[in-house]
Amino acid sequence: MKITAIDTFAVAPRWLFCRVETDAGIVGWGEPVVEGRADTVRAAVRELAELLIGRDPRTVEAHWQVMTKGGFYRGGPVLSSAVAGLDQALWDILGKSLDVPVHQLLGGAVRDRVRVYGWIGGDEPAEVADAARAQIENGLTALKMNACGRIGRLATAAELDGVVERVSQVRAAIGDGNDVAIDFHGRVGVADARRLLPVLEPLRPLFVEEPVLPEFAHRLRDIVSSSSVPIGTGERLFSRAEFLPVLEAGVTVVQPDISHAGGISEVRRIATLADTFGALLAPHCPLGPIALAASLQVAFATPNFLLQEQSIGIHYNEGSAELLDYVLDRSPFTFVDGHVERWTAAGLGIEVDEDAVRRADAVAESWHGPIWHHPDGSFAEW
C-alpha cells in the first residue's frame, strides 16, 4: 500500500482537516490545526506530505519519527499540530486496513465507555447557572467554565469575589452529584492563583486548568502546594519533554491536545509518562469530529484516563458549523449518562462527510482569536 495524495480542508468554525489517500482505496482522516493559525499549519502539512507520498502508510511510528526529527529545527505548535493530524490519519488507515478500531491497536480497550464534559459560560462568563442546568438536563454529568474574563494583573477584591460567586452559582445549580472544572486560561497571575485556589476548595472543583501561563511552569509547584484543589495543564504543551517538568511540579491532570501534541502516537506516550507520576489524562479537545474521535480512541485504551472534553454546542461554534455537521453517522457521539459508549468500527470509527467538508472548504474564512486589552490600553491575556 502506498500514499498517493494528501489534501487539506479548512472548515468552519475554525478547523482544518487532512485527507490521506492510498492506492488501495483506503482513506484516512486527521485534524491538524492551531486555532487561528490554520493557514500556517496547512503549509506545514504540505511540506510534511513530501515525506509521505509514495510511502506505506502503515509504518506509523517510522513516519512519526521522520516527521518530527527529520528537520534540524524541531517542535513548536505549528509543526507538532501538522504532525498530529497526519498521525491521526495514518492510524485511521492502519485500523481500516486491518478492520479493527485504533484502540485495539493500542493494546485493546480498558473501559467500555468514556466520560465526557461540555463548556458553559463562554469567554467572559456571566449568567452561568442556567447554562449549567441545561447541560445536565442534556445528559452530561461534568462541565467546565472559565473562571473569569479579563482580569487585572493583580486582581481586585471584586474580581476575586466574582470568580467564587460564579463557581458557587454553578455548584448550586448542578448539585454535588455532578462535577465542574474551572479554567483559569492562563489569565490569572501566580499570586492570584494562590489566593483563589484556597477559597475555591469548599466548592470542590474537579480540577483547575491552566492556573498560569505555560511559560510560568517553574512556578507550578508553588501553586500546587497552595491548596488541595487538583491542578491540570497541558493544552499548550506539545511533547513528553514539555510535560515532564509540570508532572514533577505535582499536577494531577495532564491535558495534551491530540491535534497539537503530536497526535495519537505522542499523546499515548504522554499518558504513560503521566501514569508514572500518578497523574490522569483529560485530553483538551474544543475541536471537530476527527480530533474527538482520535481522542476517544486513546481514552478507550488508556488506564489513567479521567474524562474527555468535547465541543458540541461550545460558544466558538455559535452561528457557524457544528461538530456533527461533518459526519455521516452521528450516533457514535451520542451521550448516555454523560458518557460515550465504546466503538467497534475500524480506524477512528467515524464516517466523514466528504461532500460537506469540500463545500465548507470552498467558502471557509480565516478565524482568529480575540485580542483583549486592559482598561489602560495594554495587552490582556485571552
Side-chain angles (χ1 to χ4, degrees), residues 262-317:
I264 292 170
S265 297
E266 185 70 351
V267 168
R268 175 69 169 184
R269 289 187 282 256
I270 291 167
T272 301
L273 174 64
D275 201 22
T276 68
F277 287 85
L280 302 171
L281 178 73
H284 180 254
C285 189
L287 296 171
I290 305 168
L292 179 55
S295 297
L296 289 167
Q297 292 291 342
V298 171
F300 292 140
T302 300
N304 59 321
F305 169 81
L306 176 64
L307 79 173
Q308 177 62 56
E309 181 176 24
Q310 53 80 33
S311 70
I312 296 174
I314 198 171
H315 52 288
Y316 299 120
N317 303 352

